[in-house]
Amino acid sequence: NDILDMMSLDDIDTDEDVPQPKSKQPQSKPSKQNTRDFQSNQAKAKSKPKPNDVPSTGKKVTNSPNDSTVRKPCQLRSITNLIEEVQSLADPNLTQVFKEHTFVGTISSRFALIQHVDKIYLCDVCLVSRELIYQEALLNFSQFDTIELSSPAPIHMLVMLSLDNISSGWSSQDGDKNEIANFIVELLKE
């Protein structure tokens, strides 16, 4: 898996993007009290309520005890298909790791360590972030607020400008630009 790799701490190259301390002082072993505090903090972190999974069906979602919202189901089949694809490709073990992990620390600007049960994982933060944002955008697709313009956008003119742009790929075989623009204006009015 590209996102998460299990590894031993000896495999980590900490020289990349990590400032090194100026003086090397011997590090002391953790005391029993520090170990108990760490274990206590882990237990507290695991007992925190987690947000409910968010299907595309418009169910109630609670992010905290005082915050609840209702997601409207997305009416676009293309978005629903993409959500179903993401859900079908989801690895239940990886999902479990991300639901129950404890953040250990950063290794570099790109990698971080997380702990799940008794294993340490090297996490590619860039890939995880990209996937998270993609999934959040899909799940929130019909939740975004509307933007009201002070004056209506000149759709016909904007379509004509885009058709005039070489990157649009328009050719005379596609039809008259004006007819295409009129069709798009009518389509958006529906």
Side-chain angles (χ1 to χ4, degrees), residues 105-117:
T106 57
I107 296 298
S108 68
S109 61
R110 184 172 180 111
F111 296 103
L113 291 176
I114 61 173
Q115 177 182 355
H116 181 250
V117 187

Side-chain angles (χ1 to χ4, degrees), residues 16 62 79 86 115 140 149 173:
E16 178 192 340
T62 305
I79 298 298
V86 166
Q115 177 182 355
N140 290 309
L149 303 175
Q173 296 170 344

Side-chain angles (χ1 to χ4, degrees), residues 5-146:
D5 288 322
M6 187 174 70
M7 61 185 306
S8 75
L9 292 177
D10 296 332
D11 296 335
I12 300 170
D13 177 16
T14 57
D15 294 335
E16 178 192 340
D17 296 340
V18 178
Q20 298 298 317
K22 291 182 181 176
S23 66
K24 301 220 175 196
Q25 298 176 358
Q27 293 187 3
S28 61
K29 291 186 177 182
S31 68
K32 287 183 181 180
Q33 179 63 37
N34 289 345
T35 304
R36 270 186 259 129
D37 290 345
F38 177 73
Q39 289 169 343
S40 173
N41 288 339
Q42 279 188 312
K44 288 177 188 174
K46 288 185 180 183
S47 66
K48 288 182 183 175
K50 303 277 185 187
N52 296 338
D53 290 335
V54 184
S56 62
T57 57
K59 293 189 178 180
K60 189 172 187 176
V61 177
T62 305
N63 293 327
S64 72
N66 301 325
D67 176 36
S68 66
T69 58
V70 176
R71 290 186 193 253
K72 299 178 281 186
C74 185
Q75 301 296 319
L76 297 173
R77 190 71 205 146
S78 59
I79 298 298
T80 307
N81 288 344
L82 290 171
I83 291 170
E84 289 170 0
E85 180 184 347
V86 166
Q87 289 173 341
S88 72
L89 295 173
D91 180 333
N93 295 327
L94 189 59
T95 301
Q96 191 77 13
V97 168
F98 277 106
K99 279 184 176 180
E100 300 173 353
H101 79 276
T102 301
F103 178 75
V104 176
T106 57
I107 296 298
S108 68
S109 61
R110 184 172 180 111
F111 296 103
L113 291 176
I114 61 173
Q115 177 182 355
H116 181 250
V117 187
D118 61 349
K119 294 184 174 81
I120 298 283
Y121 294 93
L122 180 65
C123 179
D124 186 329
V125 177
C126 296
L127 289 176
V128 171
S129 299
R130 183 182 311 143
E131 187 64 26
L132 173 68
I133 291 168
Y134 175 71
Q135 290 181 23
E136 282 295 313
L138 287 177
L139 292 172
N140 290 309
F141 194 83
S142 59
Q143 311 305 313
F144 299 121
D145 292 332
T146 57

Side-chain angles (χ1 to χ4, degrees), residues 156-171 174-181 184:
H156 189 275
M157 182 185 76
L158 293 171
V159 171
M160 291 296 286
L161 285 172
S162 67
L163 290 172
D164 287 339
N165 189 328
I166 273 185
S167 65
S168 74
W170 178 86
S171 71
D174 297 325
D176 181 53
K177 288 181 186 179
N178 199 36
E179 288 178 19
I180 294 171
I184 291 174

